[in-house]
Amino acid sequence: MIRVLLADDQELVRGGLAALLSLEDDIEVVAEAGRGDEVLAAAREHEPDVILLDIEMPGMSGLAVAEELRGHRVVIVTTFGRPGYLSRALDAGVAGYVVKDAPAAELAATVRRVMAGERVIDPKLAVTALTTGPSPLTQREAEVLRVAADEPTVAAIARRLFLTEGTVRNYLSSAIGKTGAANRAEAVRVAESRGWL
């Protein structure tokens, strides 16, 4: 039996995936988590063979959890087919990355292939990632854009990041240029849609 830990913050999705996987003769869902910060303890307690993670979860993102679980067989299962997320997931050492709109049988096949030592990546997303390339944003530019999504003014961004307003303006200007956006709100949308934030 392949022992699986399933983490997704949407209860209906998590339950549906667990039910589908439980129909397989060789797969057993041994634990479920609804928050990212619950996954590490569940992995220690249940010792799964494969861990399926959503990306956006409360408490801790699936990408951050994958970093902590480096060396385990981790598969990202997400609605976000963004090239930047794929790149970050691969950097975290995941064994697989599939999108939720894939056929149900594909998830079970992915679990088996990952258990056999293969790396499984959604083929359409892989092509998109190769043609899009890596994020052009520096770590600090991405951080400023993330905060800009929540803060209305340059002064508020500066206070939150302990930077001067001039430094924030410089980072925003650079990020706007690199994303090809007309303003910071558009830069945030572009960067989020590409998985750079």
Side-chain angles (χ1 to χ4, degrees):
M1 283 294 253
I2 303 171
R3 297 167 50 82
V4 172
L5 186 161
L6 179 58
D8 193 301
D9 63 323
Q10 296 178 351
E11 206 168 317
L12 184 62
V13 172
R14 189 175 67 246
L17 291 174
L20 286 170
L21 290 172
S22 295
L23 295 173
E24 302 294 325
D25 293 337
D26 58 340
I27 297 174
E28 177 187 10
V29 177
V30 295
E32 296 179 34
R35 297 177 51 90
D37 53 5
E38 297 171 346
V39 176
L40 300 177
R44 280 191 299 273
E45 180 182 345
H46 298 281
E47 299 180 359
D49 299 309
V50 178
I51 301 168
L52 304 178
L53 297 176
D54 188 19
I55 288 183
E56 292 191 359
M57 294 185 287
M60 191 175 191
S61 78
L63 294 173
V65 173
E67 276 285 337
E68 295 290 324
L69 292 171
R70 192 178 288 274
H72 289 79
R73 293 179 192 96
V74 174
V75 177
I76 299 291
V77 182
T78 184
T79 55
F80 301 106
R82 298 175 181 162
Y85 281 172
L86 172 59
S87 177
R88 290 166 53 198
L90 293 175
D91 288 346
V94 302
Y97 193 106
V98 295
V99 290
K100 288 179 181 171
D101 63 359
E106 256 183 56
L107 184 58
T110 296
V111 168
R112 289 183 190 100
R113 289 175 61 195
V114 164
M115 188 65 189
E118 292 181 49
R119 183 176 256 182
V120 182
I121 307 298
D122 179 86
K124 287 183 243 166
L125 183 57
V127 169
T128 303
L130 287 172
T131 56
T132 303
S135 171
L137 302 173
T138 66
Q139 185 175 350
R140 192 57 129 167
E141 289 164 348
E143 181 181 25
V144 169
L145 277 183
R146 267 191 293 277
V147 173
D150 299 327
E151 297 293 351
T153 66
V154 168
I157 297 167
R159 275 193 305 276
R160 194 155 146 197
L161 294 175
F162 303 103
L163 298 171
T164 67
E165 290 181 33
T167 301
V168 168
R169 281 189 197 92
N170 288 339
Y171 283 128
L172 286 173
S173 176
S174 180
I176 289 167
K178 288 178 178 180
T179 58
N183 55 50
R184 77 173 178 193
E186 186 180 340
V188 168
R189 280 193 302 277
V190 168
E192 283 180 342
S193 72
R194 295 185 181 161
W196 297 340
L197 296 185

